[in-house]
Amino acid sequence: METGNVTTPFGRRSMTLGMLANQVMAGEIKPDQSVDKWKLFRALCEAKPLLGIGDRALAVLNALLSFYPKNELAQENGLIVFPSNIQLSRRTHGMAEQTVRRHLAALVEAGLLLRKDSPNGKRYVRRDRAGEIDEAFGFSLAPLLARAEEIEQLAAEVMAERLHVQHLRERITLCRRDVAKLIEAAVEEQIPGDWQGLYGEFRDLIEGLPRSPTTSQLELLLDELTALRADILNRLEIRVKSTKQRGNADYIERHIQNSNPESISELEPSFETKQGAMAEQDNRVAVTLEKGRGEAAHPGGQKKEEEQSRRPGVRNDGGGLKSFPLGLVLQACPEILAYGPDGVIRNWRDLMAAAVIVRSMLGVSPSAYEEAANVMGPENAATVMACILERGGHINSAGGYLRGLTRRSEKGEFAIGPMLMALLRANAPAGRKVG
């Protein structure tokens, strides 16, 4: 029985107690024990963070498993594979032999492989007269079989942790949306309260989260956001109850008039699936708060402000051209996301930086883009570049197309809205297109 013997490594490699422990464990495999090698490999891929191995080491292990003739790892089938480093290099898509050796050592160190070295360190097999394997020298897969149950348990733990983190992120997203929109509603309804202070507290919580947070940090953030949401809801519920008690018909009438069926909330992309939407919502809340402070300081200008903002989230930029919310632009033009800093677009500055990269990639001259920015405004020019990228397969000359839109914009004959709406419909899920 090949796993029953303790072997020491060839050459300068020294023997360690860890190697001895792995060999002893491999020698305790039950005679009828077996496992599907590819099912076990998938579990290894899940459990790799807990096993201390990387992707390339797994690629080498995948190559080793491909040399094992059976699908079931079992002691009766033999557990030694003996490919050369050249053969392993070929099956790892050209990985350098030196790299192959390094990752083989890492797999041995992690206790997933055992070396069974020949007297001269070569890997080969000796067969009897009937052609059956008499003795093989190479790498033993016995530790994989011996640790199969442990590996599957580790994989289950990793998957459970991943699902827990996903659930936390979803709940944080929902709670963050609730807080932002409740504050916005409170300011628009002119409900008394320190909404600016609450919004500052909300932003501090969000911005205090590290780029790669731990599970405990996510749990803490969720608890704090939940408490903040409960505080805001309590304040609003008190206001609602007091309004009902007074029977304030004017308040109810104003509430009905302010309910806009075309609210930009319906136009914004899903918080879970489109990047930039949450940042756009937070920006809108900040604008609403700033507007509220301005109205308090200049009450005479309130009517004018209301007339200019009858369509929430849409504003006029250069040349009278209407500019749409960043979240809506990213929903209509998702391809531009790949060109943002680190593949993310969080604000208008990121979008404009991405537009410069796309401009160069599509062959639009700097002068054409600068002219568009001067006529349309920088945000609208970046939006148009995102639309051109989205429709790249239908536009022969991006530069000529942009110059044409710029000339039309100067004459007041161009609007971004229809272009964005067409792209929104084109990118909408099938169910929404039918409806």
Side-chain angles (χ1 to χ4, degrees), residues 127-377:
R127 300 180 184 273
D128 57 21
R129 292 184 178 181
E132 299 293 332
I133 295 178
D134 181 37
E135 190 169 14
F137 296 98
F139 289 100
S140 172
L141 303 175
L144 290 177
L145 182 56
R147 299 180 63 185
E149 186 176 345
E150 174 197 353
I151 292 170
E152 290 174 355
Q153 179 63 33
L154 292 175
E157 291 177 8
V158 171
M159 293 174 67
E161 178 69 10
R162 184 186 304 128
L163 289 174
H164 178 54
V165 170
Q166 180 182 351
H167 184 56
L168 284 174
R169 289 184 179 277
E170 289 173 351
R171 292 178 62 192
I172 286 172
T173 298
L174 293 173
C175 196
R176 178 178 174 178
R177 182 178 69 194
D178 292 346
V179 170
K181 292 197 173 185
L182 288 170
I183 292 177
E184 182 184 11
V187 174
E188 288 182 350
E189 296 289 349
Q190 300 178 6
I191 297 175
D194 184 16
W195 303 114
Q196 182 69 31
L198 288 172
Y199 179 73
E201 181 182 346
F202 167 62
R203 292 307 309 164
D204 288 343
L205 289 176
I206 299 302
E207 293 170 1
L209 190 69
R211 192 176 185 84
S212 299
T214 63
T215 303
S216 60
Q217 288 172 328
L218 290 173
E219 290 172 342
L220 178 60
L221 175 63
L222 178 59
D223 291 341
E224 292 173 332
L225 284 175
T226 301
L228 181 60
R229 179 178 61 183
D231 182 23
I232 295 171
L233 280 172
N234 184 55
R235 296 175 186 228
L236 295 179
E237 287 174 0
I238 291 174
R239 175 67 177 183
V240 170
K241 291 177 181 178
S242 64
T243 301
K244 287 183 178 180
Q245 291 172 356
R246 292 198 309 268
N248 191 336
D250 292 338
Y251 175 84
I252 297 174
E253 180 66 22
R254 187 177 74 250
H255 176 75
I256 294 174
Q257 290 175 355
N258 285 345
S259 297
N260 189 347
E262 296 182 357
S263 170
I264 197 62
S265 300
E266 298 298 325
L267 297 177
E268 286 188 339
S270 168
F271 286 79
E272 291 78 10
T273 58
K274 299 293 182 181
Q275 300 199 43
M278 185 63 77
E280 176 62 21
Q281 174 182 292
D282 294 346
N283 290 340
R284 197 171 71 251
V285 177
V287 170
T288 303
L289 288 167
E290 187 65 28
K291 176 183 172 184
R293 290 203 304 270
E295 290 175 354
H298 305 284
Q302 180 175 350
K303 183 177 181 181
K304 183 178 179 181
E305 289 293 330
E306 289 177 353
E307 292 175 354
Q308 291 179 349
S309 60
R310 286 178 182 174
R311 294 187 63 193
V314 182
R315 61 187 184 282
N316 291 332
D317 278 345
L321 196 63
K322 290 179 180 177
S323 175
F324 289 79
L326 178 62
L328 180 62
V329 174
L330 295 179
Q331 185 179 11
C333 309
E335 290 190 16
I336 194 73
L337 286 166
Y339 300 91
D342 300 323
V344 178
I345 293 179
R346 303 180 182 85
N347 48 48
W348 283 106
R349 181 179 298 176
D350 289 350
L351 179 64
M352 288 186 280
V356 172
I357 297 174
V358 171
R359 188 271 307 163
S360 176
M361 183 186 72
L362 295 180
V364 177
S365 65
S367 61
Y369 185 70
E370 183 178 357
E371 183 183 1
N374 290 334
V375 173
M376 303 178 185

Side-chain angles (χ1 to χ4, degrees), residues 412-425:
E413 300 174 353
F414 171 64
I416 296 178
M419 181 185 293
L420 285 176
M421 293 305 108
L423 291 173
L424 274 173
R425 288 192 294 270

